[in-house]
Amino acid sequence: MANILHVSSSPHIYTRESVQRIMLTVVIALLPAALGAVYLFGTRALILILVAVATAVGAEALCQKIRGVPVTIRDYSAVVTGILLAFNLPANAPWWMAVIGSVFAIAIVKQLFGGIGYNIWNPALVARAFLLASWPTTMVSNTDYPAPRGGTLSGLTLEGITQATPLQLIKNNIAPVFKQISAYSASEVETARKALDGLAGADYFGSLFWGRVGGVLGETSAALLILGAVLLLVRGYIDWRVPAGYIASVAVLAWIFGGPQGYFTGNVLFHVLSGGLLLGAFFMATDMVTSPVTRQGKWIFAVGCGALTMLIRLKGGYPEGVSYAILLMNTATPLIDSYTKPKIYGGS
Amino acid sequence: MFSTIATFKGGVHPPEAKEASRDKEIKTLELPGKVVLHLQQHIGAPLEAVVEKGAEVKVGTLIARPTGFVSVPLHATISGTVKAVEECLHPAGLNMQAVVIEGNGKDEWEPVPAVAADYSGLSVDELRKRIQEAGIVGLGGAGFPTHVKLSPPAGKTIDTFILNGAECEPYLTADFRQMLERTADLAAGIRIVRRILGCGRVILAVEDNKPEALQALAEKFGEEEGYKVTGVQTKYPQGGEKQLIEALTGRQVPTGGLPMDVGCVVQNVSTVLSIYDAVSRNLPLIEKVVTLTGPAVRNPGNYRVRVGALVEELITRVEGAVPGNLGKAIMGGPMMGLALPSLDVPVLKGTNGLVLLEEPVPVSAHLPCIRCGSCVDTCPIRLMPCELALFAENDRWDKCREYFVKDCIECGSCSYTCPAGRNLVQLIRFGKYKVISEDQRKKK
Ligand code: SF4
Ligand code: SF4
């Protein structure tokens, strides 16, 4: 028995959970939506996803080599960032945009701040904001987004309406009409009214649910996003409070303020299922590193995301507000954590 | 009888790992050839050795006496000759004063003053005195003298005595076996403690993974007024005093306070049995039941051993238990136990288990915090372990204080659950130590 004994602080056993296991599960949870994107948008989607992932992983390894720290690409966190970045690109984005976005996300937003755990903002979202600022036409063009297989860009096939993503349609083409009905011809008003009815139809929710509408790669199919989210919820890798608080606050605000025809007429399902809300609420607002650690903090964070999203969608310059809402709340996260310390056992 | 499953907030569910030893009856091991009895077996005033090298001692001979109220005497646990009074390796890894006794293999006992079989005539003070004189301390490396816990200062009334039969540490089954095998003695011990405390309510709490023990205790107390046998949820650290009090009474011990402050006293199974032995038979604390188990042990079981026996000798006495690829030896359970620096250290009064792990032993990953919040959700004190650890790493002692570092009970739930494998408890313990020593400096 001349063994050398290991001496270390208690505890001496650990959970089998690991960063790697969590990130790998997130990758798996993103797969349905990724495969859906390839089905809906074809090989262009596949190429963008693969290029983004490969670049993200390569950039992570290179940065860590340069920084002289251990290379941790095996923790799959760069893969997650790559997929999420690709999910935020339209299918017509050129491949080099995926490269630039991934390098920016990993090198600037993640590694420059010290690597996993130290970044303040969600890397994929900052990179998206960067691409949006640099190539606004590709990133938010009204009409250039490709239509998905079996659907149209707006998800509607009405005569006389512009083809744009659903949120662009309501913001740029429908809402303005109702704001000043007198300025439009009777037929224009009629078209807008029909479009509005169309967006509330049962068929339309089918399209939003299955992804027969236009949008960036990862956001179109609610069904596939929810499928992946269920896996993460069951495994406890995302806290239900964040998506619940986020989606519920969007729903309430959409109902109150979201209707072009007046208060309490908003189309709740439309606002919840369209755009990037589900992708954001389940996969980006829930990013552990950039969201609060306390339960109370998670509620505040989630409701803040919801409120900001609706503020931007209804009043802001962009049709969609999910990314900026989450980034703003990421900024507030350290503050939220410090103000929501749980009441300790036996404390007064 | 049993009632609904009470529990506390937070906690973790490590694998229970009790199967290997839970059905093994307690065996008494052959006498050790030598014992090492550290003068520091408990928190409180230090002991003063009263024997010198060469002295002949018997089992029960006083070898060191207390120097204050918060202290208890130490007795020889085998008969033989005092070989030395010197610094010896303590399980905590430091060298500390100890009395070393070489056995003569005869197991001669000090004549114990005969006690009347009926101890009901003793006053509460006499009962306490016997408990102190028997040298009884609580569990863990920092055991607290039991008679002190049983002496609430004037002005504090105790209304609830809780028998802690949770045994929530994985692997350990010593308390479970004693609850089954010494049920009558345990019941008698509980009645003694109740008398000392003069409290109306006694709650016997056992984790619900030990239904046999619940059954045995329920049979002893039946529907008797004032006694309640209750299952508590199997969850770590259910057996923490504060957690048990929260689970059973809904009260919270105020920060910086003691269970007494909320009218509660908690004692665990082996302590109550030692109390019974001291009161009914005048026996000092010389033996402990220890679970020897773990993946590296080929013959796991529960053994009655003499305090001071060396771990190495103990292992060789258990046939077939000699581990080939031992990687880590833990005194206590795997969540809060001490990793032994060597097997050449003795069993202490507060020892209840020896868990031996094989190579390769589990090691933590030491990655940066990914802010998953798991530690915050599991901390039974509702601290923010991730923040405390960061503050401790960056010497922010003021921040440690602001985030209540002193309230940490060092249960290890946070480190257990951390997916990044951060050594949270180690960092937090250091922060706690810094803040407490700062406090002491200020007092002076
Ligand atoms: S911070 Fe302390 S009390 Fe909380 S889980 Fe960690 S060790 Fe236990
Ligand atoms: S469990 Fe570990 S990784 Fe998660 S917040 Fe706590 S310290 Fe950070």
Side-chain angles (χ1 to χ4, degrees):
Chain A
M1 266 193 287
N3 307 55
I4 294 175
L5 296 178
H6 292 259
V7 179
S8 64
S9 159
S10 59
H12 307 286
I13 50 175
Y14 310 99
T15 163
R16 282 161 55 214
E17 298 300 349
S18 65
V19 177
Q20 184 187 44
R21 207 161 128 140
I22 295 171
M23 293 300 167
L24 183 58
T25 311
V26 176
V27 171
I28 294 169
L30 287 168
L31 279 185
L35 294 174
V38 176
Y39 170 81
L40 294 166
F41 298 106
T43 37
R44 286 204 280 182
L46 183 64
I47 292 169
L48 284 174
I49 294 171
L50 292 180
V51 167
V53 169
T55 315
V57 172
E60 177 119 309
L62 196 68
C63 288
Q64 288 176 326
K65 280 247 160 71
I66 294 170
R67 287 177 56 211
V69 296
V71 173
T72 59
I73 50 175
R74 261 174 240 212
D75 70 10
Y76 291 96
S77 64
V79 179
V80 171
T81 300
I83 298 177
L84 288 176
L85 187 272
F87 273 19
N88 277 292
L89 298 174
N92 61 325
W95 63 269
W96 50 262
M97 223 178 246
V99 171
I100 293 176
S102 291
V103 169
F104 188 86
I106 296 292
I108 311 280
V109 191
K110 189 178 177 189
Q111 291 297 332
L112 206 61
F113 280 84
I116 186 167
Y118 294 103
N119 51 300
I120 299 168
W121 298 282
N122 185 313
L125 285 179
V126 184
R128 177 190 177 270
F130 169 72
L131 295 178
L132 189 65
S134 312
W135 292 277
T137 32
T138 315
M139 294 296 289
V140 273
S141 156
N142 236 341
T143 49
D144 287 354
Y145 276 21
R149 176 192 302 224
T152 60
L153 189 47
S154 68
L156 288 178
T157 42
L158 272 181
E159 225 175 284
I161 66 153
T162 323
Q163 281 299 337
T165 60
L167 284 172
Q168 288 166 329
L169 183 70
I170 199 160
K171 177 155 206 154
N172 301 338
N173 305 88
I174 301 177
V177 178
F178 289 98
K179 223 174 244 160
Q180 214 186 352
I181 290 190
S182 54
Y184 293 84
S185 73
S187 73
E188 279 172 328
V189 174
E190 186 52 26
T191 309
R193 191 157 290 158
K194 269 202 195 138
L196 200 59
D197 288 347
L199 295 182
D203 284 359
Y204 196 73
F205 294 125
S207 297
L208 287 176
F209 195 67
W210 297 114
R212 291 191 297 265
V213 298
V216 293
L217 293 187
E219 72 183 11
T220 58
S221 169
L224 299 175
L225 289 168
I226 291 170
L227 187 67
V230 168
L231 172 66
L232 297 183
L233 285 167
V234 168
R235 294 292 292 274
Y237 293 162
I238 61 177
D239 193 307
W240 62 272
R241 290 167 185 85
V242 173
Y246 195 166
I247 294 168
S249 52
V250 163
V252 169
L253 292 171
W255 175 56
I256 301 176
F257 300 107
Q261 291 168 295
Y263 293 130
F264 302 101
T265 63
N267 184 343
V268 170
L269 267 180
F270 173 81
H271 272 285
V272 169
L273 297 178
S274 66
L277 179 64
L278 295 187
L279 177 62
F282 286 117
F283 294 98
M284 297 195 291
T286 51
D287 171 34
M288 292 168 173
V289 175
T290 55
S291 63
V293 294
T294 66
R295 288 184 174 166
Q296 207 192 340
K298 284 174 182 159
W299 282 120
I300 297 173
F301 178 87
V303 172
C305 285
L308 288 169
T309 298
M310 285 315 290
L311 187 70
I312 297 171
R313 277 189 185 181
L314 299 176
K315 301 279 174 222
Y318 293 111
E320 176 57 305
V322 168
S323 322
Y324 287 110
I326 297 174
L327 286 175
L328 279 167
M329 293 312 292
N330 287 164
T331 314
T333 291
L335 205 63
I336 295 175
D337 270 337
S338 71
Y339 278 99
T340 54
K341 280 189 263 183
K343 183 179 171 293
I344 72 161
Y345 175 108
S348 37
Chain B
M1 293 298 282
F2 335 147
S3 55
T4 43
I5 298 304
T7 194
F8 62 98
K9 279 193 227 159
V12 289
H13 293 276
E16 292 168 31
K18 295 185 192 265
E19 313 75 40
S21 59
R22 84 190 297 282
D23 297 325
K24 301 280 177 65
E25 245 177 67
I26 300 169
K27 280 195 209 146
T28 301
L29 281 189
E30 212 183 303
L31 280 181
K34 166 183 156 181
V35 291
V36 175
L37 294 155
H38 281 99
L39 297 183
Q40 189 86 44
Q41 297 264 346
H42 57 80
I43 285 182
L47 294 187
E48 192 179 50
V50 295
V51 288
E52 281 174 357
K53 186 174 167 185
E56 296 291 321
V57 294
K58 293 180 177 164
V59 180
T61 307
L62 182 76
I63 56 173
R65 65 159 179 249
T67 56
F69 174 67
V70 188
S71 189
V72 293
L74 185 63
H75 306 88
T77 58
I78 55 173
S79 58
T81 316
V82 174
K83 232 179 77 190
V85 180
E86 63 182 9
E87 302 245 302
C88 296
L89 189 61
H90 187 274
L94 320 157
N95 284 316
M96 292 202 251
Q97 278 292 315
V99 175
V100 183
I101 302 170
E102 192 143 87
N104 57 15
K106 291 195 195 133
D107 203 24
E108 299 159 320
W109 284 63
E110 282 287 338
V112 224
V115 277
D118 178 16
Y119 47 84
S120 60
L122 294 178
S123 73
V124 166
D125 279 336
E126 282 167 321
L127 290 173
R128 281 200 198 103
K129 189 157 167 266
R130 280 204 188 170
I131 292 168
Q132 175 175 19
E133 282 172 355
I136 302 173
V137 299
L139 256 189
F144 197 74
T146 299
H147 68 281
V148 181
K149 261 175 107 176
L150 296 178
S151 312
K156 290 223 194 306
T157 31
I158 303 299
D159 62 11
T160 307
F161 165 51
I162 297 171
L163 173 79
N164 184 355
E167 201 164 50
C168 59
E169 273 272 10
Y171 287 106
L172 305 189
T173 55
D175 278 0
F176 170 66
R177 288 314 308 179
Q178 294 186 93
M179 284 190 272
L180 289 188
E181 297 178 30
R182 294 191 66 190
T183 323
D185 294 351
L186 181 60
I190 290 167
R191 290 174 202 283
I192 295 169
V193 175
R194 184 190 191 189
R195 210 182 124 212
I196 296 174
L197 295 171
C199 61
R201 175 165 68 155
V202 176
I203 306 176
L204 291 72
V206 180
E207 274 191 351
D208 59 359
N209 61 354
K210 300 181 251 302
E212 306 94 316
L214 278 166
Q215 190 63 42
L217 289 170
E219 276 164 19
K220 273 280 170 297
F221 289 97
E223 297 293 325
E224 200 176 323
E225 178 74 26
Y227 293 89
K228 189 171 126 192
V229 178
T230 184
V232 286
Q233 200 180 306
T234 301
K235 182 168 78 168
Y236 181 85
Q238 191 67 260
E241 283 195 343
K242 291 182 169 183
Q243 283 61 50
L244 216 44
I245 291 170
E246 182 184 28
L248 297 171
T249 69
R251 301 174 196 167
Q252 293 184 1
V253 180
T255 146
L258 292 169
M260 275 180 195
D261 299 330
V262 289
C264 295
V265 165
V266 183
Q267 296 286 2
N268 68 322
V269 171
S270 59
T271 310
V272 173
L273 283 168
S274 303
I275 290 172
Y276 169 77
D277 291 340
V279 170
S280 71
R281 293 157 58 201
N282 234 345
L283 283 185
L285 176 54
I286 54 150
E287 285 181 333
K288 284 291 295 185
V289 175
V290 170
T291 305
L292 174 61
T293 184
V297 176
R298 256 167 274 143
N299 203 354
N302 304 290
Y303 300 97
R304 183 167 284 116
V305 304
R306 293 288 160 93
V307 173
L310 295 176
V311 172
E312 175 144 23
E313 187 174 10
L314 204 150
I315 292 171
T316 50
R317 298 262 148 132
V318 177
E319 206 188 336
V322 184
N325 58 340
L326 178 63
K328 196 184 237 188
I330 304 160
M331 181 169 280
M335 293 298 289
M336 284 188 82
L338 280 175
L340 299 179
S342 143
L343 296 180
D344 199 20
V345 295
V347 166
L348 302 173
K349 284 182 176 177
T351 303
N352 54 355
L354 287 164
V355 180
L356 308 187
L357 305 182
E358 291 174 306
E359 289 282 10
V361 300
V363 285
S364 44
H366 290 296
L367 296 169
C369 167
I370 56 164
R371 308 202 59 77
C372 68
S374 209
C375 55
V376 181
D377 289 347
T378 54
C379 176
I381 306 294
R382 275 84 85 183
L383 302 174
M384 293 177 76
C386 49
E387 310 292 39
L388 284 171
L390 284 177
F391 296 142
E393 259 173 343
N394 294 300
D395 298 352
R396 295 295 309 274
W397 315 124
D398 54 327
K399 279 289 191 182
C400 284
R401 183 189 298 278
E402 188 190 321
Y403 280 70
F404 311 105
V405 74
K406 283 195 286 179
D407 287 79
C408 171
I409 57 168
E410 300 179 28
C411 70
S413 301
C414 51
S415 295
Y416 174 81
T417 199
C418 177
R422 304 243 311 140
N423 275 344
L424 299 168
V425 189
Q426 196 179 2
L427 289 163
I428 295 168
R429 194 186 286 129
F430 186 61
K432 185 172 156 182
Y433 164 81
K434 281 281 183 187
V435 168
I436 290 174
S437 37
E438 206 175 86
D439 284 355
Q440 282 166 349
R441 254 203 319 279
K442 264 184 218 152
K443 251 188 227 158
K444 275 175 198 162

